[in-house]
Amino acid sequence: MKQSVIDKLEILSKRIGELSGLLSQPEVTDNMEQYTKLNREYAELQPVVTTYHQYVDAVNDLAVANELLNDPQMKDFAAEELATAKENILQLEAELQKLLLPKDPNDEKNIYLEIRAGTGGDESALFSANLFRMYSRFAERNSWQVEIISESPSDLGGYKEIIAKIIGYGAYSKLKFESGAHRVQRVPVTETQGRVHTSACTVAIMPEADEVQDAQINPADLRIDTYRASGAGGQHINKTDSAIRITHLPTGLVVECQDERSQHKNKARALSLLATRIKDAQLREQQSKIAATRKSLVGSGDRSERIRTYNFPQGRMTDHRINLTLYKLDMIMDGDLFELTDALIAEHQAELLASLDSRE
């Protein structure tokens, strides 16, 4: 391992010692904001420092084994220890490389999930509902919260469009590679001849903007309309103009929220979604510039890019970006996405490592 990397790890090792001391001081524990900030830094550094200490132990084991090689009685034992130490060092170096990769500043954030029916009419709308249930069940498995922002139901019980907020630490890090076109192959409920049809939906995953001000929204650029909410909700929902529609005049972006009975709450949610969409547009513009010079192995994030196929007759899911096929479609549609998301994250990390190596 390079000396510059070891020097960095030594600094991090000292820092975690400082943090441990600070977190035990009464003046820090009494200040919840400062305590939370330091505790989060400690949690981020701990796996790096723990792995580094294991690496140091392995290097020491290697040195001891080399010394024992000079002892005729210990030579065979030393050879085994030497091989084990070398293997451990290689594994720990690889793990440290991953842990030291540049962090995505959005990884810890909540997300907005948007699913829209595409080609396929009613069948596409039904699959939108299936995808929403899949992501909702995945959120449950991660102890995240799901809040529906707006929905446009189809006649057969699906969604022409549904927008939801998923609240939970690390939601973006696990779901950020889901943006794109999702294709389904199955026999629709409306098909009388038993033929397999192909339909598609688009999914967008956007990290929540920290503050509305971050997106530099000028109130003069907004047109805010109120209207009566439609759909389920009892008698009250149709008696008040609680639903909100906000149009951002410079970009033409339109957001709506009618989930809450309070106009104030709907307005706050709609503004948050608008800020997120504006920042998302800025982020995608940056990504398109990067993709022009280097194609991402896990996709460019383009909403029109076909990323995955769900084949129900064969019970398989194929992610086309990393050539991963899993024959457990029922489990996947029930929210068991861990093998898939872990594979996408691993591919992304490998790509980052390759790009760092190419610069050196």
Side-chain angles (χ1 to χ4, degrees), residues 4-5 39 50 64 66 75 87-89 121 152 171 183 194 202 225 242 284 294-295 301 303 318 322 335 339 341:
S4 59
V5 177
N39 199 43
T50 299
V64 171
N66 273 318
K75 190 172 182 180
E87 185 178 346
N88 287 341
I89 287 171
S152 177
R183 186 175 68 169
T202 58
D225 301 308
S242 61
R284 283 191 288 129
R294 181 174 59 86
K295 172 67 175 174
R303 306 290 150 77
T318 298
I322 57 175
E339 185 175 355
T341 56

Side-chain angles (χ1 to χ4, degrees), residues 32-47:
M32 187 51 65
E33 184 178 348
Q34 186 182 10
Y35 178 79
T36 302
K37 182 180 178 181
L38 292 175
N39 199 43
R40 179 167 292 182
E41 184 184 354
Y42 183 91
E44 289 175 353
L45 290 182
Q46 190 174 34

Side-chain angles (χ1 to χ4, degrees), residues 225-240:
D225 301 308
T226 60
Y227 61 98
R228 292 188 181 182
S230 60
Q235 296 178 349
H236 173 90
I237 200 166
N238 291 316
K239 287 185 176 179
T240 59

Side-chain angles (χ1 to χ4, degrees), residues 267-336:
K267 182 179 179 181
R269 281 185 168 191
L271 281 171
S272 175
L273 177 56
L274 178 62
T276 295
R277 280 190 176 169
I278 291 172
K279 291 195 76 174
D280 178 64
Q282 295 169 349
L283 180 63
R284 283 191 288 129
E285 184 180 355
Q286 294 171 0
Q287 288 176 337
S288 67
K289 292 177 182 177
I290 295 172
T293 56
R294 181 174 59 86
K295 172 67 175 174
S296 173
L297 293 177
V298 289
S300 62
D302 187 345
R303 306 290 150 77
S304 63
E305 178 189 17
R306 190 192 75 186
I307 64 168
R308 195 171 298 150
T309 295
Y310 305 78
N311 187 301
F312 279 75
Q314 297 179 16
R316 66 171 169 84
M317 182 285 310
T318 298
D319 194 288
H320 304 290
R321 297 163 296 177
I322 57 175
N323 295 320
L324 173 68
T325 296
L326 299 173
Y327 286 90
K328 56 175 191 177
L329 189 56
D330 289 346
M331 296 171 65
I332 289 170
M333 297 310 296
D334 194 45
D336 184 3

Side-chain angles (χ1 to χ4, degrees), residues 129-141:
N130 296 149
L131 286 176
F132 179 66
R133 181 185 182 276
M134 179 183 79
Y135 290 124
S136 297
R137 292 284 290 120
F138 183 64
E140 288 177 22
R141 292 167 185 256

Side-chain angles (χ1 to χ4, degrees), residues 9 17 20 29 41 56-57 67-68 78 97-98 104 116 144 153 159 170 179 202 211 217 261 295 314 317 356-357:
L9 289 165
S20 182
T29 54
E41 184 184 354
V56 171
D57 290 341
E67 289 182 9
L68 291 175
Q97 277 188 312
K98 291 180 182 178
D104 186 330
R116 291 184 176 85
W144 298 338
Y159 292 112
S179 291
T202 58
E211 298 289 344
I217 296 176
R261 293 184 176 185
K295 172 67 175 174
Q314 297 179 16
M317 182 285 310
L356 288 175
D357 290 341

Side-chain angles (χ1 to χ4, degrees), residues 112-113 132 136 145-152 159 161-167 256-260 266 269:
Y112 281 100
L113 163 68
F132 179 66
S136 297
Q145 183 182 348
V146 180
E147 294 180 355
I148 294 177
I149 302 298
S150 68
E151 56 186 305
S152 177
Y159 292 112
E161 175 188 272
I162 183 164
I163 301 172
K165 183 178 181 181
I166 298 181
I167 303 166
E256 298 180 356
C257 186
Q258 61 177 30
D259 192 55
E260 294 284 351
N266 278 330
R269 281 185 168 191

